[in-house]
Amino acid sequence: MSDFCGDALSSACFPPYCSFVSSLHLNAVRQFERAADLLGLTDAHRAILASPTNEVIVNFPVSMDDGRIEVLTGYRVQHNNALGPFKGGMRFSPAVDLDEVRALATWMTFKTALVDIPFGGAKGGIAIDPRAYSAEELERIVRRFTFALGSNIGPDHDIPAPDMGTNAQTMVWMMDTYSSMASAADRHTVRRVVTGKTVATGGSRGRDKATGQGLTFVLDAWLNRTGDTIDGKRVAVQGFGNVGEHAARTLVKAGAIVVAVADHTGAIHNPDGMNPEHLWQYTSTHRGIKGAPDGEPLTEEEFWRVDCDVLIPAALENQLCADRARDIQATVVIEGANGPTTPEAEEVLEDRGITVIPDILGNAGGVTVSYFEWVQNRAGDAWTLADVDSRLRRLLHEATDETLAAAKEFACSLRDAAYVVALRRLTTVMDQRGVFP
Ligand code: GLU
């Protein structure tokens, strides 16, 4: 699938106080600007939140299996830490660049503020296709990247987690490398330097499914508040990685029907519903959904037009463009990916009366359970899955209710409302702490 479908990038409206915002980062800035207007925030607030605090770029050599040395470039953008340590995933994808990482880091700041966990926002990654490397090469890449970042990350400073192209094993390699560089007495206390680890090495139960589970909790809360339920809702999921797969599984458990699934290899459709477990087994052996016997094949554009109630973009950013927004049949879009809806598409959806549940709420389950993992590591504790799920449900239901209340107060979209809630928390702390010196 193409990763960008052609909406014009609005270079015309670069904010005057910030010279370096560009495409995807500009989308993120434009999103919080709308809420900043509603709240009447000052230029100083806006400039601080449009500017990442630190941007770290590291170039590092890695030995490949055939003896060659590749020099790779890694990024870590630490956007804001007003509310707590920098927090956010590490992405391995060919599309990773400074602009993308800036945008993703910015979204993390608003996501953690919205769900009211004591973290700031960060993101990082390497511009590689992880499928092009052996497991041994990937381990050396991850360890050398962690070494190159050195003290730019830390258990109470900046805490990475999985994102696209990385997983629990990646986090265990990062944790092991970081703790091997710590003093002997600190090797265990520093393991909270990353979250999303395997349960055996100190990860939290429920972290693997947390983003998909969170999406289901948020959709459930939103439907309940509008007098409806998940039961029988027909869902189309774009992307069948960690987020899409677990969204499909948890939605089906809650009574929904998955009628269409798309990924980078193709799309399939079955109006009677498909079993996410079968789809997962198929995609893990065939490296994609294409050819899965559970449904009829669809073209990429047919997928976006498919008859459904709920559409979940859970792949890359900028997937739901204006042309696709004109055709979608769903009455609600809930964003599993970060930034999947272009600003132009958002206007089309708004005109058509289609609700968009924004990424910073829809996919906040991942970082919320990351916070639970960090707390468990600090306390030397291990919570049950039932405990993790019930705490996650409570935080996401609260964030959904606060978003709905702000949407009512300002008669605005759920995205603007979510940013209002986050901005109020951020600016309260920024104002009380002031600017040093
Ligand atoms: N990468 C995930 C996100 O975009 C999770 C980040 C985290 O757990 O820190 O929200």
Side-chain angles (χ1 to χ4, degrees):
M1 281 193 184
S2 61
D3 60 352
F4 178 61
C5 45
D7 288 344
L9 292 169
S10 310
S11 53
C13 53
F14 281 68
Y17 47 77
C18 189
S19 58
F20 55 77
V21 282
S22 59
S23 54
L24 197 66
H25 182 220
L26 179 59
N27 285 359
V29 172
R30 285 164 74 191
Q31 287 172 348
F32 86 69
E33 280 276 4
R34 289 169 56 113
D37 289 345
L38 293 174
L39 290 170
L41 294 188
T42 63
D43 270 2
H45 286 128
R46 295 167 197 244
I48 290 170
L49 289 167
S51 316
T53 303
N54 302 307
E55 301 186 329
V56 181
I57 302 181
V58 289
N59 299 307
F60 54 96
V62 183
S63 307
M64 296 295 134
D65 291 344
D66 63 4
R68 278 179 312 111
I69 306 276
E70 263 186 47
V71 177
L72 300 174
T73 302
Y75 303 88
R76 186 71 181 170
V77 172
Q78 298 169 331
H79 176 258
N80 187 282
N81 63 351
L83 300 183
F86 299 109
K87 184 81 189 83
M90 286 291 194
R91 175 173 292 204
F92 291 179
S93 132
V96 165
D97 62 16
L98 194 52
D99 173 54
E100 184 186 60
V101 179
R102 265 182 196 147
L104 294 164
T106 307
W107 283 320
M108 287 308 301
T109 297
F110 291 97
K111 198 184 298 186
T112 52
L114 171 63
V115 292
D116 203 12
I117 55 178
F119 282 143
K123 202 75 153 206
I126 311 177
I128 53 167
D129 177 358
R131 288 169 296 202
Y133 295 90
S134 71
E136 293 72 24
E137 287 171 335
L138 275 177
E139 177 172 354
R140 289 195 292 274
I141 290 170
V142 172
R143 288 186 182 278
R144 190 61 202 238
F145 180 37
T146 309
F147 175 77
L149 285 171
S151 59
N152 286 297
I153 59 171
D156 295 300
H157 169 49
D158 182 357
I159 303 137
D163 195 78
M164 185 185 298
T166 59
N167 55 28
Q169 178 64 71
T170 319
M171 294 305 117
V172 177
W173 288 329
M174 287 197 96
M175 180 268 282
D176 186 73
T177 308
Y178 187 89
S179 55
S180 301
M181 298 189 297
S183 71
D186 284 337
R187 287 207 176 124
H188 284 285
T189 54
V190 299
R191 68 185 174 160
R192 66 178 189 277
V193 67
V194 293
T195 58
K197 303 178 289 289
T198 60
V199 173
T201 62
S204 177
R205 293 192 176 88
R207 177 62 184 83
D208 51 350
K209 65 159 184 162
T211 312
Q213 178 69 75
L215 188 142
T216 297
F217 285 149
V218 170
L219 183 65
D220 176 55
W222 178 76
L223 286 166
N224 286 345
R225 307 313 183 247
T226 53
D228 204 347
T229 69
I230 287 187
D231 204 39
K233 289 279 172 300
R234 295 162 310 145
V235 177
V237 186
Q238 188 230 6
F240 208 67
N242 175 275
V243 182
E245 178 214 328
H246 287 291
R249 283 179 190 268
T250 50
L251 282 165
V252 166
K253 241 184 174 168
I257 304 167
V258 174
V259 295
V261 172
D263 71 6
H264 63 287
T265 62
I268 59 167
H269 176 225
N270 185 341
D272 297 328
M274 297 179 280
N275 180 331
E277 172 64 24
H278 289 172
L279 295 176
W280 179 78
Q281 277 173 10
Y282 183 88
T283 53
S284 28
T285 47
H286 294 78
R287 293 182 146 225
I289 204 81
K290 190 178 176 188
D294 308 61
E296 296 300 318
L298 285 180
T299 66
E300 186 178 356
E301 294 313 316
E302 282 166 350
F303 168 81
W304 292 99
R305 292 194 289 268
V306 88
D307 192 18
C308 64
D309 304 306
V310 181
L311 176 67
I312 305 174
L316 290 168
E317 49 267 10
N318 284 335
Q319 295 292 293
L320 183 48
C321 57
D323 281 348
R324 291 172 178 170
R326 276 179 209 105
D327 288 339
I328 70 164
Q329 303 296 311
T331 51
V332 55
V333 173
I334 175 161
E335 296 181 331
N338 293 305
T341 309
T342 69
E344 293 74 14
E346 184 120 31
E347 279 173 29
V348 174
L349 295 173
E350 215 167 308
D351 287 350
R352 293 186 59 207
I354 297 169
T355 301
V356 179
I357 300 180
D359 45 10
I360 60 169
L361 179 60
N363 71 29
V367 73
T368 304
V369 178
S370 275
Y371 167 59
F372 297 161
E373 179 173 331
W374 186 78
V375 170
Q376 289 170 76
N377 286 171
R378 276 180 79 133
D381 204 352
W383 303 348
T384 63
L385 180 59
D387 197 6
V388 169
D389 279 350
S390 81
R391 288 172 193 251
L392 176 64
R393 185 173 184 280
R394 183 173 56 78
L395 285 191
L396 293 181
H397 276 228
E398 276 169 18
T400 308
D401 284 338
E402 285 181 287
T403 302
L404 286 170
K408 203 166 166 199
E409 182 183 346
F410 290 97
C412 64
S413 71
L414 294 183
R415 191 184 310 278
D416 293 348
Y419 277 90
V420 162
V421 175
L423 277 171
R424 278 183 169 150
R425 280 199 180 104
L426 284 160
T427 54
T428 299
V429 173
M430 286 160 70
D431 290 347
Q432 287 179 11
R433 293 183 66 150
V435 172
F436 171 85

